[in-house]
Amino acid sequence: MTKRSTTGSDHSPFVFVLFGGTGDLAMRKILPALFAAHRDGLLAPDGRIVGVAQTALDTGGYLQWVREHVKPHVAGASIDDATWRSFLERIAYVELDASRPETYSVLRDALGTASGRRIFYLATGPALFVPICGALASAGLSEGSRIVLEKPLGYDLESSNAINDAVGQIFNEDQIYRIDHYLGKEAVQNLLALRFGNSLFEPLWRREWVESIQITVAEELGVEGRGNFYDQTGALRDMVQNHLLQLLSIIAMEPPGSMDADAVRDEKLRVLRALKPLPADEIRRSVVRGQYHPGAIRNTPVCAYHAEAGVRPGSTTETFVALKVEVENWRWAGVPFFLRTGKRLAGRVAEIVVNFRPVPHSALGPTALRPGSNRLTIRLQPNESIRLSALAKQPGMGMTLQGVHLDLAFDEFFQQDRMEAYERLLLDVIGGRLALFVRRDEQEAAWRWVAPIIEDWGTQASPPKPYASGTWGPAASSALLARHNTCWPEEEN
Ligand code: BG6
């Protein structure tokens, strides 16, 4: 394998302070990503990592904890002992009750002599965001620092505004890095390259040529020990408000003047603000919510959402959402965007399908008039790829048309390790690049758009529609597309 591009990496010294340092996210994502960046030689030699948590440990105990819990989550090639040891040398631990400002002197002392940019990563529940920021300010640690906020950032528009207001009292917007890890995925970066690095698609990327767009993020996993959190969140808040609307904004945005953070984020914001509002009757017609019932995933029986630990009896939290939305601007007016996400579905796939209009008149028989004959499928995961579907003539006599594909599988073409989303995003935080982080006004616009759905569901007596685990969701999701004369990709014959 060849080494991947490291353009944009820098070697500025830093101190990376990880609140929630013994939590699930630290263990599964953040520390493995920092290790990968260390292994790839992308971190400054004197960059330091400080784990912060309430667990009673000293640095030695924390390193032991990191060995046991983090190592298994490191992706890619086997871990070389010397590299692992040199990674551990970067790490220290501070025991601290993050909700008590009087304890922060320990942290200040620990950071005392460290040189370089201070980064505070809040891998904690959102309830701690404001207390931590306040305590950092009182301890004199906020000035010139960067703060990274994990989702969920609030529960609705109001609570997210409250957090943003409070954090904004202490940190300027250009110090705040709101993570949406989908923006760090290689494939999402590629979407920008595909759209803005080629002239091929741009003339077709509009209502005159595009009939509909579908965005699917499907998971086989259930709530995986997060029942308690998930039951208060649901798929709309967990996935649609952030990941899916971010994907939509990248698909639909105008070409930015540059890749500067605000140039990109201004264009995404315009899309989010142009999402057609959904009145209650439209919500009932065009938004489907579902909840998984027992079924099987890869032939293994799995339980109902209701039977998951931490889920309230009779819970009406949705584990599936499908909806239709339009973008009200000159480029996209009238083009339906169908979004779908769910847990315990028939496969793990994230993809975007751009369906082009059929030819206006076919001299070659009815096949050429069929919707979906010309389509671009951008597969984000697994196996990142781009497929262009078209019609060709079957060999032999006559003119019989048949669907064919041009395929680009990125793994095969580049034969390089992919960079994990968290590695890219953490390197961007360290390097001070904000383009892949969500600006406050984007987040507000997304919450504002989903708010009426949340409100309407709160008044609906009927529960979410059931679906068997291991299927593609409730029948109403297929019916939604059928009403628009289309179907989800797996429903095609
Ligand atoms: C997270 C959600 O943001 O994204 C999870 O909270 C979800 O519920 C996850 O499973 C999906 O991310 P990925 O990268 O595995 O597609």
Side-chain angles (χ1 to χ4, degrees):
M1 292 222 169
T2 46
K3 200 162 164 40
R4 60 189 175 216
S5 159
T6 55
T7 311
S9 65
D10 64 39
H11 276 75
S12 328
F14 64 89
V15 190
F16 188 98
V17 182
L18 178 56
F19 282 87
T22 53
D24 194 57
L25 190 68
M27 170 178 82
R28 286 189 306 111
K29 298 286 185 195
I30 301 168
L31 288 167
L34 287 169
F35 172 75
H38 167 82
R39 180 194 56 201
D40 298 344
L42 300 176
L43 296 183
D46 46 0
R48 285 179 50 197
I49 300 165
V50 180
V52 174
Q54 223 178 326
T55 318
L57 289 171
D58 57 10
T59 292
Y62 187 60
L63 294 183
Q64 188 52 36
W65 180 91
V66 171
R67 260 181 222 109
E68 277 166 32
H69 294 91
V70 175
K71 235 175 166 177
H73 296 285
V74 171
S78 59
I79 303 175
D80 163 74
D81 272 354
T83 312
W84 178 254
R85 271 200 308 277
S86 57
F87 176 61
L88 293 187
E89 277 162 20
R90 293 180 182 271
I91 303 180
Y93 181 73
V94 171
E95 181 190 333
L96 174 79
D97 178 351
S99 63
R100 292 179 45 218
E102 65 277 16
T103 61
Y104 278 63
S105 53
V106 194
L107 180 61
R108 195 182 43 221
D109 294 346
L111 300 183
T113 56
S115 65
R117 177 76 63 180
R118 272 193 304 255
I119 294 153
F120 296 105
Y121 195 116
L122 308 198
T124 63
L128 281 174
F129 290 174
V130 175
I132 292 177
C133 290
L136 289 173
S138 317
L141 291 170
S142 55
E143 184 120 6
S145 303
R146 295 182 184 141
I147 185 105
V148 189
L149 303 177
E150 257 298 337
K151 71 178 263 287
L153 210 141
Y155 179 76
D156 52 17
L157 180 60
E158 212 182 10
S159 53
S160 128
N161 276 346
I163 294 175
N164 279 322
D165 284 346
V167 174
Q169 300 278 318
I170 294 161
F171 294 97
N172 297 327
E173 184 62 28
D174 64 3
Q175 292 174 279
I176 305 175
Y177 291 70
R178 294 181 194 82
I179 288 246
D180 182 313
H181 79 278
Y182 264 64
L183 294 180
K185 287 184 189 273
E186 187 84 31
V188 176
Q189 303 285 290
N190 234 327
L191 204 52
L192 293 169
L194 179 82
R195 284 202 59 199
F196 306 130
N198 297 288
S199 58
L200 195 59
F201 298 110
E202 176 52 25
L204 305 177
W205 214 257
R206 57 191 65 249
R207 63 187 302 284
E208 288 80 359
W209 299 106
V210 174
E211 193 162 62
S212 68
I213 293 187
Q214 301 174 0
I215 304 178
T216 294
V217 179
E219 298 184 88
E220 290 177 347
L221 294 177
V223 293
E224 303 303 300
R226 295 195 306 160
N228 207 340
F229 156 78
Y230 194 87
D231 205 38
Q232 295 167 46
T233 307
L236 186 72
R237 293 180 173 93
D238 188 42
M239 298 294 289
V240 177
Q241 185 273 343
N242 34 67
H243 305 325
L244 275 88
L245 289 185
Q246 283 292 326
L247 291 178
L248 185 155
S249 65
I250 290 178
I251 281 285
M253 73 198 261
E254 294 300 314
S258 73
M259 282 292 139
D260 283 353
D262 283 335
V264 174
R265 299 189 299 179
D266 285 350
E267 294 305 341
K268 288 199 300 163
L269 176 65
R270 284 197 183 103
V271 174
L272 293 168
R273 287 195 173 150
L275 295 177
K276 188 172 181 178
L278 296 178
D281 56 338
E282 184 60 25
I283 291 171
R284 301 197 179 181
R285 255 197 316 272
S286 296
V287 185
V288 177
R289 60 175 183 151
Q291 191 185 73
Y292 63 80
H293 279 221
I297 299 285
R298 298 176 188 254
N299 298 323
T300 304
V302 292
C303 69
Y305 176 68
H306 273 153
E308 301 275 13
V311 171
R312 293 159 297 176
S315 163
T316 56
T317 297
E318 77 289 354
T319 60
F320 175 96
V321 179
L323 57 83
K324 187 200 93 175
V325 53
E326 289 174 36
V327 178
E328 290 191 300
N329 62 19
W330 198 285
R331 188 188 281 265
W332 294 115
V335 176
F337 286 69
F338 298 103
L339 273 47
R340 158 176 82 153
T341 186
K343 296 209 179 273
R344 289 283 190 238
L345 296 184
R348 174 177 183 253
V349 61
E351 71 181 14
I352 297 165
V353 177
V354 181
N355 286 312
F356 293 98
R357 294 186 190 283
V359 292
H361 164 75
S362 172
L364 305 173
T367 310
L369 297 172
R370 269 212 312 251
S373 300
N374 286 180
R375 107 176 354 158
L376 189 69
T377 304
I378 302 148
R379 167 72 61 99
L380 310 181
Q381 60 190 31
N383 308 330
E384 191 189 342
S385 64
I386 293 181
R387 164 174 284 197
L388 185 61
S389 308
L391 292 173
K393 180 192 162 305
Q394 268 180 18
M397 292 292 293
M399 178 57 81
T400 308
L401 298 182
Q402 185 188 322
V404 292
H405 320 295
L406 293 171
D407 276 335
L408 168 61
F410 285 91
D411 280 357
E412 283 167 28
F413 189 87
F414 288 109
Q415 304 236 317
Q416 281 174 358
D417 283 341
R418 322 299 285 156
M419 187 179 260
E420 294 286 327
Y422 270 96
E423 184 181 352
R424 178 192 324 283
L425 293 175
L426 296 184
L427 287 168
D428 276 357
V429 176
I430 293 168
R433 294 177 290 273
L434 273 158
L436 300 181
F437 296 85
V438 181
R439 210 169 53 190
R440 174 174 180 167
D441 46 11
E442 289 181 79
Q443 198 174 47
E444 263 180 48
W447 274 122
R448 207 177 289 286
W449 187 77
V450 298
I453 306 177
I454 296 175
E455 199 176 310
D456 185 69
W457 286 355
T459 65
Q460 273 185 37
S462 55
K465 300 208 165 10
Y467 62 96
S469 292
T471 65
W472 285 104
S477 156
S478 307
L480 167 67
L481 268 69
R483 285 203 300 278
H484 295 273
N485 200 23
T486 183
C487 62
W488 296 108
E490 75 281 355
E491 294 167 341
E492 279 171 1
N493 43 35

